[in-house]
Amino acid sequence: MRVSYNWLKEYINLDLSPEEIAEKLTLLGLEVDYIEDWSYLYKDLLIGKVKKIKPHPRADKLTLVDVEAGEKSFRVVCGAPNVKKGQKVVLAPAGTTLPDGMELKNTKIRGEISEGMICSADELKLQEERSEGIFVLDEDAVPGEKFAPYFNLDDHIFVLDLTPNYGYALNMLGVARELSAAFDREINYPHIKEEKESGRAEDLISVEVTDSKLCPRYTARIVEGVNVDESPWWIKIRLMAAGIRPVNNIADITNYVMLEMGQPLHAFDYDKIQDKIIKVRPAKRGEKLVTLDDRERELSDQDLVIADAKKPLGLAGVMGGLESEISSKTNNILLEAACFNPYNIRRTAKKFILHSPSSHRFERGIDIENITRASRRAAQLMAEIAGGEVIGGIVDIYPKLKEPVRLRVRPQRVNEVLGTDISRMEMKSILEKLHFKVQDSKRMEGAFRVQVPSFRNDIKIEADLIEEVARIYGYGEIRGSLPRMDMEIGRRKPTQKIEEKIREIFQRAGLHQTINLPLVRKDEGFYNTEGLPLTLTNPISVDNSCLRQEILPGLLRSLEFNTKRQEKSAGLYELGDVFPGNGPGQRSRLAVVLMGATEGESWQADAPDFFALKGILETLGFEMGVGISLERSELEFLHPGRQGEIFLNGKKAGFIGELHSGLQEDYRFPSRVAVMEMEMEPLVEEATLEPDYRGVPRYPATSRDLALTIKEEIPSVQIESLIKKEGGPFLETVTLFDLYRGAQIPDNCKSLAYRMVFRSKERTLTDEEIDRTVEGIIKKAQKEFNADVRK
């Protein structure tokens, strides 16, 4: 955004230097990148009057011109065909540096000394095209005076770098409002006359809007009998200061009002509109439009167009069409002022690489209540400058009025956030200077009820109002101070200690920690029973569209990534959060995958990774002081005979098992994969991290081996539980060391061999004591499980 200081001063009385204004704008959040000093570019140029002209003695196309500039007179060699006696011209005496950087000197041209030059419009950087003659001034120009002040070029241009939330400041009045609040000065709004015009616009044009979400408001005015010509220089100068190239008086007026009031406008040649109807609709797939830059665009149904009865006339909010543009033959104007959906405008502008001043403003949101005022302002300028007649009334399609945003702001909260002691009345005064309507809240004592002006689309919550108070109060007035807090030695929480212990145990077991994104595909998961996943409203891709409800799928993807790179064994784990779909909040879980962990022969060779992972789980339980037990489960994604539910001190926590062969083939894993996933909450509740000290045994241990033949469906954990219960106080450990099926074992049975270690802390146990205990275990097993002792 480029802001002319001279233009700005028409709306607010400012007597500060450009540097002071730039500093204040930056402190208000309207960052000034730099200042262009136009007065410096034109500082040496004078107004001159042509007093005498005579032919050059040695050149047919040159003349010798005597130019009077106040008390001084200059002889200039001139080649312009339009120079005449009595003209007021722009004189660049010798020693002048022109706006393009060229420095003039006394120069001999065909034997005659030229003491400067009479400038053309392009040499003054007032137009891009090459001029055919010198630039002639009006009769009110005073010879000898500086040209820059006369032509309003003694200006400074503030080049602002505005963030998207400052869309309301993309116009002169928006910047003036900011400075008005900062300096407590009145704003001089442009005078818009309320005149009685003849005719009715609705009799000349009809408007249809097919989707009010894409176009919440659309207005159309008619201006008849315009004379399309060049704009007066005061408009041209202001447009050039803003970085916009003048085109003709009609187009320039729409740009002028956009820069002044922030409302993009577009003028159509009324006589080129078929059936005198405007349709604001999505484009038809494959429909084509030649835009004003003379490029044909193929449209889709995602693009919003302004069309007549037969064809599109322009890309809504982005660029007009070539066919309906204003030309020197145009007599009647349809003036569009509308509000379009910012997201749709941005998508279309980005798609066609058509970033225009209009789309820039629509993308950031415009003031929907300012539309008719801006339209009237432009229509009246067209009547004054282009000689048109404004037809009475306006076609205004505004089906759903925009409700004002109303917020509560607590003065106490303002001071808490800012660290200030601003009085309640000063806060109210600041907000009212920014055109907020402020009243005492009836529901909350001491608070304000604030109505946000329609041009402030960036104000949504109380914190936004707090920022407004801070901006105008002055960030420099807020004293820095260190926060007050009670100091205490930092300690890990119990959950953090447990997580650290898990990492230590798993690291010793050879596992590697992974961290996966919590974003997954909608259909990703194996066992979810917690409703549909939480879905992102604007995901970066389909693969990252939902919050995960399980950790295991991400770990399997990580394992798959490794196996595709020739890794034959891997152990991975992850501690992370999952997000249930049927309720608020999130929960922590622990998951492990293990592949190729055991090599060589073993009695567990039919499922080495499953038993290796089971051993890691048991180690975790032992070191956490938690009793681990497993019960049969029937999860479809796991091997039907190698899976189980995990219980921690009797509380269900998760599952462990071997991945089903079908899934193993889908992932193309080279060998079997054992998996585990469990909730962290039961582990945190049951874990005991206090060390359990045991002295060096004083008495020897005695072991006994026991092989029992039992039914296939009886799990080992039940036999272990019986042995521990019947083993009495002297049983130190019990370990399963063999599983046998085959000869001498009945069908549908299996043989489990256990090693039991007995020890007393007070004496040496006798063989008779141990044998009696083992005999009790055997009898109990025979009674409860119909077990036979295998010899």
Side-chain angles (χ1 to χ4, degrees):
M1 174 70 182
R2 296 168 58 87
V3 177
S4 160
Y5 192 19
N6 284 350
W7 192 1
L8 189 63
K9 286 189 285 189
E10 284 200 4
Y11 307 113
I12 180 172
N13 183 23
L14 296 172
D15 52 6
L16 302 173
S17 70
E19 291 72 24
E20 290 173 310
I21 296 296
E23 181 181 6
K24 177 57 71 174
L25 287 173
T26 299
L27 291 174
L28 289 170
L30 283 65
E31 183 182 355
V32 178
D33 258 3
Y34 56 91
I35 305 173
E36 287 184 6
D37 185 357
W38 276 22
S39 61
Y40 180 80
L41 295 176
Y42 298 95
K43 62 183 177 62
D44 297 325
L45 298 176
L46 301 174
I47 298 173
K49 183 176 181 180
V50 177
K51 298 296 290 183
K52 184 178 180 181
I53 303 174
K54 67 178 183 179
H56 192 291
R58 300 177 187 84
D60 295 338
K61 295 184 179 182
L62 298 179
T63 55
L64 302 179
V65 182
D66 291 338
V67 182
E68 181 185 84
E71 298 179 355
K72 294 184 178 180
S73 183
F74 299 85
R75 169 63 63 86
V76 175
V77 178
C78 181
N82 65 326
V83 61
K84 295 179 181 179
K85 183 178 178 180
Q87 288 175 331
K88 305 290 180 64
V89 295
V90 182
L91 174 68
T96 295
T97 300
L98 294 176
D100 62 2
M102 184 176 73
E103 186 176 345
L104 298 181
K105 298 178 180 179
N106 283 332
T107 306
K108 183 178 287 188
I109 302 175
R110 296 288 184 93
E112 297 291 333
I113 296 293
S114 181
E115 299 175 327
M117 66 181 290
I118 302 173
C119 300
S120 61
D122 62 290
E123 289 165 339
L124 295 171
K125 294 294 181 182
L126 298 179
Q127 67 182 47
E128 295 178 359
E129 301 82 8
R130 178 67 179 170
S131 300
E132 295 181 358
I134 59 171
F135 187 61
V136 181
L137 303 178
D138 292 338
E139 280 300 316
D140 60 352
V142 179
E145 291 189 355
K146 294 283 188 178
F147 167 67
Y150 168 76
F151 220 63
N152 206 25
L153 292 171
D154 56 337
D155 200 359
H156 292 78
I157 312 301
F158 304 108
V159 182
L160 307 184
D161 183 12
L162 300 180
T163 52
N165 58 309
Y166 283 98
Y168 66 90
L170 286 170
N171 58 88
M172 301 300 298
L173 285 173
V175 177
R177 277 192 292 257
E178 292 287 291
L179 294 173
S180 167
F183 295 124
D184 195 17
R185 300 185 185 182
E186 293 291 327
I187 296 180
N188 301 314
Y189 287 97
H191 178 60
I192 301 176
K193 296 174 286 186
E194 294 293 335
E195 295 180 347
K196 291 184 178 181
E197 295 128 346
S198 61
R200 284 163 39 94
E202 52 265 40
D203 295 335
L204 300 176
I205 193 72
S206 60
V207 176
E208 294 179 6
V209 177
T210 60
D211 190 342
S212 61
K213 291 182 179 179
L214 295 179
C215 179
R217 189 176 190 182
Y218 190 94
T219 70
R221 285 188 194 273
I222 304 295
V223 183
E224 294 183 338
V226 298
N227 178 32
V228 180
D229 201 348
E230 287 191 22
S231 296
W233 275 106
W234 65 270
I235 284 186
K236 287 185 179 181
I237 295 296
R238 290 180 176 180
L239 293 183
M240 287 188 287
I244 294 179
R245 181 177 64 88
V247 180
N248 57 55
N249 51 6
I250 301 301
D252 292 350
I253 287 169
T254 61
N255 285 327
Y256 180 87
V257 174
M258 177 188 71
L259 294 171
E260 181 182 59
M261 305 182 73
Q263 173 61 50
L265 304 166
H266 187 74
F268 295 95
D269 189 324
Y270 172 78
D271 298 318
K272 295 179 181 179
I273 300 173
Q274 293 286 334
D275 297 344
K276 302 304 178 264
I277 184 171
I278 289 291
K279 295 183 178 182
V280 185
R281 60 170 175 82
K284 300 171 185 175
R285 188 179 297 274
E287 199 168 25
K288 295 182 179 180
L289 170 70
V290 179
T291 47
L292 288 172
D293 56 359
D294 202 17
R295 291 186 60 184
E296 185 177 75
R297 316 277 179 175
E298 184 170 336
L299 310 177
S300 73
D301 55 6
Q302 297 293 311
D303 305 317
L304 188 68
V305 296
I306 311 300
D308 60 17
K310 295 184 179 180
K311 61 188 180 302
L313 302 175
L315 274 174
V318 179
M319 184 173 284
L322 190 64
E323 187 174 339
S324 61
E325 76 167 331
I326 304 302
S327 68
S328 58
K329 298 179 181 179
T330 299
N331 291 315
N332 303 309
I333 298 292
L334 182 141
L335 179 62
E336 167 195 283
C339 176
F340 299 112
N341 182 286
Y343 304 106
N344 181 267
I345 297 300
R346 175 169 172 76
R347 182 171 56 227
T348 299
K350 189 174 181 180
K351 170 185 172 182
F352 292 115
I353 317 177
L354 271 178
H355 187 75
S356 64
S358 293
S359 69
H360 187 76
R361 286 160 175 80
F362 279 126
E363 287 172 20
R364 284 150 179 78
I366 56 103
D367 179 5
I368 197 169
E369 301 299 335
N370 186 47
I371 287 176
T372 54
R373 182 176 174 82
S375 175
R376 176 173 284 275
R377 169 74 163 156
Q380 289 183 0
L381 286 174
M382 289 179 185
E384 294 171 8
I385 295 171
E389 179 186 354
V390 181
I391 301 302
I394 183 172
V395 179
D396 188 357
I397 308 300
Y398 191 12
K400 186 177 180 180
L401 298 181
K402 180 182 178 182
E403 288 293 325
V405 176
R406 294 181 176 88
L407 302 170
R408 273 198 298 268
V409 61
R410 298 160 291 173
Q412 180 183 354
R413 180 61 179 162
V414 174
N415 284 323
E416 285 176 358
V417 172
L418 300 181
T420 54
D421 190 22
I422 305 173
S423 71
R424 190 170 180 276
M425 292 309 297
E426 186 174 359
M427 290 183 197
K428 182 179 181 182
S429 174
I430 287 173
L431 292 173
E432 288 177 338
K433 289 175 184 176
L434 289 167
H435 301 271
F436 292 89
K437 294 180 180 179
V438 185
Q439 296 178 334
D440 291 336
S441 175
K442 296 179 180 179
R443 295 184 180 180
M444 185 180 294
E445 186 177 354
F448 290 126
R449 179 76 167 170
V450 179
Q451 180 173 316
V452 180
S454 58
F455 59 83
R456 292 302 301 270
N457 295 310
D458 59 314
I459 304 296
K460 306 291 185 185
I461 57 176
E462 183 186 35
D464 296 329
L465 294 174
I466 294 174
E467 182 183 1
E468 293 303 294
V469 173
R471 289 193 313 116
I472 304 304
Y473 180 74
Y475 293 117
E477 300 299 320
I478 301 175
R479 295 183 180 181
S481 61
L482 293 174
R484 296 180 181 179
M485 63 181 70
D486 295 328
M487 300 298 292
E488 59 181 42
I489 298 173
R491 294 181 177 86
R492 285 195 178 99
K493 298 177 182 178
T495 304
Q496 293 173 318
K497 292 180 180 179
I498 290 170
E499 290 178 353
E500 190 66 28
K501 186 67 175 178
I502 291 171
R503 293 187 183 97
E504 178 191 329
I505 295 168
F506 284 180
Q507 186 177 8
R508 291 202 311 260
L511 303 182
H512 298 279
Q513 184 176 6
T514 66
I515 300 175
N516 288 301
L517 278 176
L519 301 175
V520 296
R521 295 193 312 272
K522 188 175 183 179
D523 59 349
E524 186 167 283
F526 298 123
Y527 60 92
N528 168 52
T529 59
E530 299 179 317
L532 294 174
L534 300 174
T535 305
L536 275 64
T537 56
N538 187 25
I540 58 175
S541 71
V542 175
D543 289 338
N544 300 109
S545 60
C546 299
L547 290 172
R548 68 182 177 187
Q549 295 179 295
E550 308 164 27
I551 293 181
L552 185 57
L555 270 183
L556 290 174
R557 282 201 311 272
S558 298
L559 185 62
E560 181 185 30
F561 179 87
N562 281 271
T563 57
K564 286 181 178 179
R565 284 150 184 82
Q566 311 307 315
E567 290 290 339
K568 296 182 179 180
S569 64
L572 307 174
Y573 76 94
E574 181 172 359
L575 272 165
D577 291 333
V578 295
F579 306 84
N582 57 2
Q586 58 197 58
R587 302 197 306 271
S588 294
R589 279 191 188 167
L590 169 65
V592 183
V593 295
L594 195 63
M595 181 188 72
T598 307
E599 297 180 358
E601 295 186 2
S602 167
W603 69 272
Q604 303 167 333
D606 59 341
D609 292 308
F610 172 73
F611 287 105
L613 182 55
K614 180 172 175 287
I616 294 172
L617 175 62
E618 290 170 345
T619 302
L620 177 67
F622 176 77
E623 298 206 20
M624 291 289 187
V626 178
I628 301 284
S629 61
L630 301 178
E631 293 187 7
R632 282 188 182 278
S633 63
E634 297 181 354
L635 297 173
E636 294 182 356
F637 64 93
L638 297 179
H639 189 290
R642 299 179 190 132
Q643 60 171 286
E645 289 183 325
I646 301 171
F647 289 82
L648 307 180
N649 289 351
K651 295 181 178 180
K652 184 177 177 180
F655 64 85
I656 184 172
E658 183 181 291
L659 200 64
H660 194 283
S661 58
L663 280 174
Q664 180 184 324
E665 292 177 4
D666 291 342
Y667 282 103
R668 298 183 181 179
F669 291 138
S671 59
R672 295 174 179 176
V673 176
V675 300
M676 178 186 83
E677 184 164 340
M678 58 186 286
E679 299 282 352
M680 283 293 293
E681 184 177 353
L683 185 59
V684 172
E685 291 175 352
E686 301 295 327
T688 304
L689 296 182
E690 295 296 327
D692 183 14
Y693 173 74
R694 296 179 183 180
V696 178
R698 296 178 60 187
Y699 299 97
T702 301
S703 64
R704 294 285 191 275
D705 290 346
L706 176 62
L708 297 174
T709 302
I710 60 174
K711 292 291 184 182
E712 186 70 50
E713 65 268 14
I714 300 173
S716 170
V717 67
Q718 292 186 16
I719 303 298
E720 283 189 33
S721 297
L722 183 145
I723 293 172
K724 290 176 181 178
K725 182 178 180 181
E726 299 298 323
F730 301 136
L731 180 62
E732 192 171 74
T733 63
V734 56
T735 305
L736 175 69
F737 69 87
D738 186 48
L739 167 66
Y740 177 72
R741 298 181 182 91
Q744 302 178 354
I745 302 298
D747 292 341
N748 198 31
C749 291
K750 60 186 175 183
S751 173
L752 300 176
Y754 297 91
R755 178 157 293 147
M756 299 171 288
V757 178
F758 298 89
R759 190 197 308 267
S760 172
K761 297 179 181 178
E762 301 170 350
R763 59 187 173 83
T764 302
L765 298 175
T766 65
D767 288 342
E768 290 78 10
E769 288 178 297
I770 297 171
D771 290 342
R772 284 196 301 270
T773 301
V774 172
E775 189 64 30
I777 291 171
I778 292 171
K779 288 181 179 179
K780 193 70 173 179
Q782 289 173 336
K783 181 180 179 181
E784 290 195 10
F785 300 110
N786 196 24
D788 292 328
V789 178
R790 180 178 169 225
K791 298 184 179 180

